[in-house]
Amino acid sequence: MANRHRVYLVPGFFGFTQMGDKETERIAYFQNVPRLLEQRFHERGIDARVHAIASAPTAGLEARARDVFREMARTANEDDAQLHLVGHSTGGLDARSVVSPRMAREAPDFVKRVRSVVTIATPHHGTPLASYFDQGGVGKTLLRYLWLFTFLTLHRKAMPLRTAALQACYWLVLRSEEAKLPPNLFNQVVRLTADLSEAEREDLIRFFGQVGENQALIQDLMPVRMRGFNADTADREDVRYGCVVTGAPPPRLSLHLLLTPDALLNGLFAFLYAKSAPLSRELQIPERTPAQTQALQDVLGRRFESKSDGIVPSRAQVWGEVLHVAKGDHMDVMGHFDQPPEYISWLKSGSHFQEPQFRAMWDRVIDFTVGGAATVHPGNEEAQRMSIDG
């Protein structure tokens, strides 16, 4: 089955696949990505299947790699297809771990069939945002509220008092250094979402229980810890490595933006962008190849080193061949951008990343992983040009 492929999508921080009972109300980490890939595989005449897998939300990198082994094992041995790992954010580090010589002794045999690893918006050299969240107990507790904020923003159901819940979470995020976080405040906020189904509420509580139990991932993503990870996690010689780099325009909060319905999300993005500290001395980035540097400059400009996607500094995302550079925020490339009703954004970055850029980026990922002759569609060349020119 030399021409059969399986593509595994590995999620990042808060690594879930989907939450919600009804398809029309469900939120998914890889929003519309599997559907797009399957469509493009069909158009190219490629025999490929897409699997979105889950991992422990905030457990350390070693535990997450074992989760990926376990999830892949459900399908990888059904045939002898070539395997490909596509990891977003921390999921890119998980993908590198899975195929690394360091994990070879405990890796299942099917890992030998992995032919490519693509990392998207991945903190290969860490992110100062992790160092911020590691400061004291407040940052770690804050993660639970940050995810609740995300959940409420992305959920398609118009819940009673959702605005009040969002405002409460937002207040905690912006005032985290001074805020006193009583243990029962999270439950009070959850009760504001009164019309969640019982199953959804149970999923939400169980998810946050996992986040509360193990938050080793925060420290693992600190730049100082990532230097050790990279030293121990060598690339495998028979695997091709490519990356997608993301960078959003620096936030500009104006009176006009503060008066819009998206004021909370604009403020949250500005806060996270600042804490991601692209020029931090914590970051020690190895020398790039001329081709890597040129790819970043062509899209993000000569001052690309000061750019971030709101979570990870752009220059910290480079690993292997730079397949694509997108003017977008950390979640845009997963399909969480403003183009309702199919797409819902929670990082209001003002990047103007929409479906043409989304499709062009994922076409480039397909080119690198499974290949195949692309079918020419009107507008494809324009979409690629827009993704580069912004």
Side-chain angles (χ1 to χ4, degrees), residues 95-378:
R96 285 177 50 203
S97 291
V98 163
V99 301
S100 70
R102 172 175 58 85
M103 300 288 284
R105 289 184 179 179
E106 57 187 288
D109 285 342
F110 60 71
V111 172
K112 297 176 183 177
R113 292 173 15 228
V114 173
R115 293 293 173 262
S116 68
V117 168
V118 173
T119 62
I120 301 174
T122 294
H124 293 289
H125 304 288
T127 173
L129 189 62
S131 302
Y132 167 74
F133 278 122
D134 187 58
Q135 296 173 2
V138 171
K140 293 183 178 181
T141 304
L142 186 63
L143 286 175
R144 301 171 79 219
Y145 295 93
L146 185 60
W147 169 243
L148 181 59
F149 188 96
T150 304
F151 177 84
L152 294 175
T153 301
L154 295 179
H155 204 286
R156 298 168 186 268
K157 187 185 297 181
M159 300 176 224
L161 302 179
R162 176 162 63 173
T163 299
L166 288 172
Q167 289 174 338
C169 297
Y170 177 69
W171 182 86
L172 288 168
V173 169
L174 294 192
R175 293 165 178 78
S176 58
E177 287 92 344
E178 305 85 15
K180 304 297 182 182
L181 302 178
N184 64 342
L185 181 57
F186 171 74
N187 292 333
Q188 292 175 6
V189 175
V190 170
R191 279 197 291 271
L192 291 174
T193 63
D195 69 338
L196 288 176
S197 72
E198 188 62 30
E200 288 175 323
R201 289 169 63 84
E202 289 178 0
D203 284 346
L204 194 59
I205 297 299
R206 182 170 56 252
F207 185 86
F208 276 96
Q210 291 179 299
V211 172
E213 289 172 5
N214 190 340
Q215 298 182 337
L217 186 56
I218 300 172
Q219 291 187 339
D220 282 355
L221 296 180
M222 294 168 58
V224 64
R225 295 284 287 269
M226 283 306 304
R227 290 195 283 275
F229 173 85
N230 289 332
D232 294 339
T233 310
D235 289 349
R236 211 174 80 194
E237 292 184 359
D238 59 339
V239 172
R240 293 175 292 113
Y241 294 81
C243 66
V244 173
V245 176
T246 51
R252 294 182 177 87
L253 290 180
S254 63
L255 179 61
H256 170 71
L257 289 176
L258 292 175
L259 295 177
T260 68
D262 292 333
L264 291 178
L265 298 175
N266 286 320
L268 178 61
F269 177 75
F271 172 83
L272 293 173
Y273 196 105
K275 297 300 182 183
S276 71
L279 296 176
S280 171
R281 293 183 179 180
E282 278 190 273
L283 291 169
Q284 295 183 15
I285 311 295
E287 185 176 353
R288 289 176 297 273
T289 67
Q292 291 171 335
T293 297
Q294 189 64 52
L296 295 175
Q297 286 184 347
D298 286 347
V299 179
L300 301 180
R302 292 189 176 277
R303 299 181 63 187
F304 66 85
E305 293 193 348
S306 66
K307 297 295 177 64
S308 164
D309 64 9
I311 303 294
V312 182
S314 300
R315 64 192 180 112
Q317 302 174 27
V318 176
W319 196 271
E321 181 182 345
V322 178
L323 307 180
H324 191 89
V325 180
K327 281 188 177 179
D329 63 50
H330 195 68
M331 296 305 294
D332 279 341
V333 287
M334 291 298 102
H336 297 287
F337 51 83
D338 288 317
Q339 200 169 23
E342 292 82 9
Y343 304 86
I344 301 177
S345 175
W346 74 273
L347 282 178
K348 299 293 184 179
S349 60
S351 67
H352 303 295
F353 186 97
Q354 292 189 337
E355 188 167 6
Q357 292 84 359
F358 181 64
R359 294 178 67 90
M361 188 215 88
W362 282 101
D363 270 343
R364 190 66 190 92
V365 172
I366 293 173
D367 292 339
F368 183 79
T369 53
V370 304
T375 303
V376 178
H377 294 281

Side-chain angles (χ1 to χ4, degrees), residues 30-43 50 333 335 337 343 355-363 366:
F30 295 100
Q31 186 75 17
N32 296 302
V33 174
R35 182 176 63 183
L36 173 63
L37 291 181
E38 288 168 357
Q39 172 193 334
R40 298 297 287 130
F41 289 145
H42 178 73
E43 291 172 350
V50 180
V333 287
F337 51 83
Y343 304 86
E355 188 167 6
Q357 292 84 359
F358 181 64
R359 294 178 67 90
M361 188 215 88
W362 282 101
D363 270 343
I366 293 173

Side-chain angles (χ1 to χ4, degrees), residues 374-387:
T375 303
V376 178
H377 294 281
N380 275 6
E381 292 183 4
E382 177 66 11
Q384 180 67 32
R385 186 191 66 79
M386 289 175 65
S387 72

